[in-house]
Amino acid sequence: MMTLQAFLIISAALFCCGLYTVMTRQNGVAVLMGVELILNAANINFVAFAHYLSHVMGGQIFAIFIIVIAAAESAVALAIFLRLYANTGSVEIDTADRLKG
Amino acid sequence: MDLSNINFPTDLVFLWIAAITVGAAVLVCLLPNIIHSAVSLLFALGGVAGLYLFLSADFLAATQMLVYIGGIMMLLLFAVFLSNRIQDVKLSNPARFQLPAAVLCILLFGVLSLVAVTTPFPVKETKYLPTTATIGELLMTRYLLPFEIASVLLLAALIGAAMISRPTRKNPALDQEDGK
């Protein structure tokens, strides 16, 4: 039951849920939740391949770096959303079109 | 997957954690209330930490619990509470393009699952060993440069986030200079 294929299918399900969230949501914070799901799906793939195909630690270390980058990305994105809310009164991503020419 | 040789307690726990993870992830993308979505994402991330344990990644599971559930989820909840008018929480998470997105995602899931099942991976014999000491040693030797770059990146993100989210301060001295 606990095979590499099972982990890959779980990871694919997480990725598709994240992709659906990113594509359909209009709230910026919800889009960020979808990005977190996608990053977690990639992490599961890294760790599963490292566990089943090779016994080196590189996969897990890459997963740690992905977690670090996800933390930094979500902190900066949430700061941007707070500024967006202070400036426009909503965090819907369609309202952030002030740079459009 | 062969249902005849189920190793009972281990596989039951694995199925339970996998079901929690995938179910919570589906709820994240379907629930109309964004606070419910955030709590559901909490369960999905916790389930991923459980899956790491099945992949002999104990340090990574602990890191996932600390960083994602302790840090990123708190940040997300802060942003939800600070950026949504609480009285229209029912309408806080509108969705669009649902049908084409659902079709695309289900097709993509089918293709990914098909590839995962049909590809003959050269699977080796798995073993469960403690990983924390090895990861610490590798981070200090072979992966030292990415480790330092990640620390600089975190510092930059910290300073940038604090600078961006700070409220703009009215500076009377600058206003006078502009007036001249």
Side-chain angles (χ1 to χ4, degrees):
Chain A
M1 185 62 76
M2 279 171 49
T3 56
L4 176 61
Q5 282 80 17
F7 284 100
L8 292 184
I9 290 173
I10 292 171
S11 155
L14 280 186
F15 179 82
C16 291
C17 287
L19 188 64
Y20 181 83
T21 311
V22 169
M23 285 197 291
T24 56
R25 293 301 181 200
Q26 288 179 285
N27 190 325
V29 183
V31 172
L32 203 61
M33 291 181 194
V35 174
E36 301 296 339
L37 277 182
I38 291 177
L39 288 170
N40 268 282
N43 260 353
I44 292 179
N45 264 10
F46 268 121
V47 182
F49 280 122
H51 179 63
Y52 282 102
L53 298 189
S54 72
H55 294 311
V56 296
M57 279 293 151
Q60 295 196 20
I61 292 191
F62 258 88
I64 289 174
F65 285 129
I66 290 176
I67 290 179
V68 168
I69 290 169
E73 165 253 341
S74 69
V76 173
L78 294 175
I80 290 174
F81 287 142
L82 287 186
R83 290 311 301 159
L84 189 65
Y85 181 71
N87 282 332
T88 66
S90 83
V91 286
E92 294 191 2
I93 45 183
D94 286 340
T95 62
D97 56 355
R98 200 173 292 174
L99 287 180
K100 199 195 275 181
Chain B
M1 262 178 270
D2 193 4
L3 289 180
S4 60
N5 53 359
I6 286 183
N7 183 3
F8 197 64
T10 316
D11 282 345
L12 207 63
V13 174
F14 172 68
L15 279 180
W16 177 237
I17 289 179
I20 286 180
T21 309
V22 176
V26 170
L27 284 183
V28 167
C29 64
L30 292 183
L31 283 176
N33 188 330
I34 191 169
I35 297 175
H36 295 174
S37 276
V39 175
S40 180
L41 181 66
L42 189 89
F43 280 96
L45 298 177
V48 172
L51 290 178
Y52 287 157
L53 287 181
F54 283 104
L55 292 169
S56 116
D58 48 355
F59 178 75
L60 202 54
T63 311
Q64 171 96 359
M65 294 298 273
L66 286 175
V67 175
Y68 266 106
I69 296 176
I72 293 179
M73 279 310 299
M74 286 307 112
L75 276 178
L76 280 173
L77 283 175
F78 260 121
V80 168
F81 288 136
L82 287 177
S83 70
N84 284 285
R85 288 179 296 278
I86 208 72
Q87 67 266 18
D88 52 38
V89 70
K90 290 289 176 206
L91 303 173
S92 61
N93 206 359
R96 55 176 177 186
F97 309 141
Q98 276 151 318
L99 188 61
V103 170
L104 182 65
C105 287
I106 289 172
L107 282 179
L108 183 64
F109 176 68
V111 170
L112 287 177
S113 304
L114 191 68
V115 170
V117 169
T118 55
T119 308
F121 292 109
V123 176
K124 293 180 183 174
E125 186 186 358
T126 59
K127 55 190 176 188
Y128 289 87
L129 295 171
T131 59
T132 312
T134 319
I135 287 177
E137 200 173 309
L138 280 175
L139 277 182
M140 280 297 125
T141 53
R142 185 172 173 191
Y143 297 97
L144 183 60
L145 182 63
F147 180 73
E148 295 294 336
I149 292 175
S151 66
V152 173
L153 173 79
L154 273 181
L155 181 67
L158 186 73
I159 296 173
M163 280 296 295
I164 292 172
S165 63
R166 194 174 59 169
T168 51
R169 195 186 310 160
K170 290 280 182 284
N171 195 338
L174 284 178
D175 288 343
Q176 281 177 1
E177 281 184 7
D178 285 343
K180 278 178 187 173

